[in-house]
Amino acid sequence: HLMNNQFYSIIEGIHTRDSRYNEGVYEFVMQALSYTQKKFKKTKHVKAEELLLGIKELLMNMFGPMTLTVLQHWGVNSTEDFGNIVCNLVEDKVLSQSEEDDFDKFKDGYDFQEVFGAEYQKRLARKIRRLR
C-alpha cells in the first residue's frame, strides 16, 4: 500500500494543484476504498455507487454525530466532491481507472444533511430505545 512518505508527497502535490480539499480526506478515501473492497468482497475495482456506500458507512462508524463537521473541515460538501478526489487520485496514478468508471455517478449520490443529520439522529434514537 502507498500509505507511506511517497503517498503523502503525492497528496501534497495534488493539494498544491487543487487546494479545494484538506489533505486528510485523501487518506480517508483510501481507507474507504479498502473498507468497500472488503464489504463487497472485491479484490480490485469498485463502482462509484459502491464506494459512496462504503464512504457513508465508514464516515458514520468513524465520526458519528461529528460527520458533517469533519466533511466541512475537509472541504467536502457533496458526493461529487468525493468524485473529484478520486479523479485527482487517478490523475496521479494512486488509483487506476477502469473502462466502466463514470465520474458522473458521484454526482447526487446522497444528501449529506439528510444522511448524516436526520438519518443519523433517527438511528441514534432507535439505539437508545433498544437500550431502555
Side-chain angles (χ1 to χ4, degrees), residues 52 56 59-60 67-68 71 76-80 82 106-120:
L52 284 176
K56 176 164 66 167
L59 281 169
M60 295 275 229
T67 299
L68 286 171
L71 288 168
V76 175
N77 303 302
S78 69
T79 54
E80 192 175 350
F82 282 119
F106 281 102
K107 287 183 178 146
D108 310 315
Y110 42 81
D111 180 273
F112 286 177
Q113 290 299 330
E114 222 170 86
V115 170
F116 304 119
E119 195 176 297
Y120 185 81

Side-chain angles (χ1 to χ4, degrees), residues 19 26 45 78 80 86 101 108:
S19 60
Y26 289 95
H45 191 260
S78 69
E80 192 175 350
V86 168
D101 276 340
D108 310 315

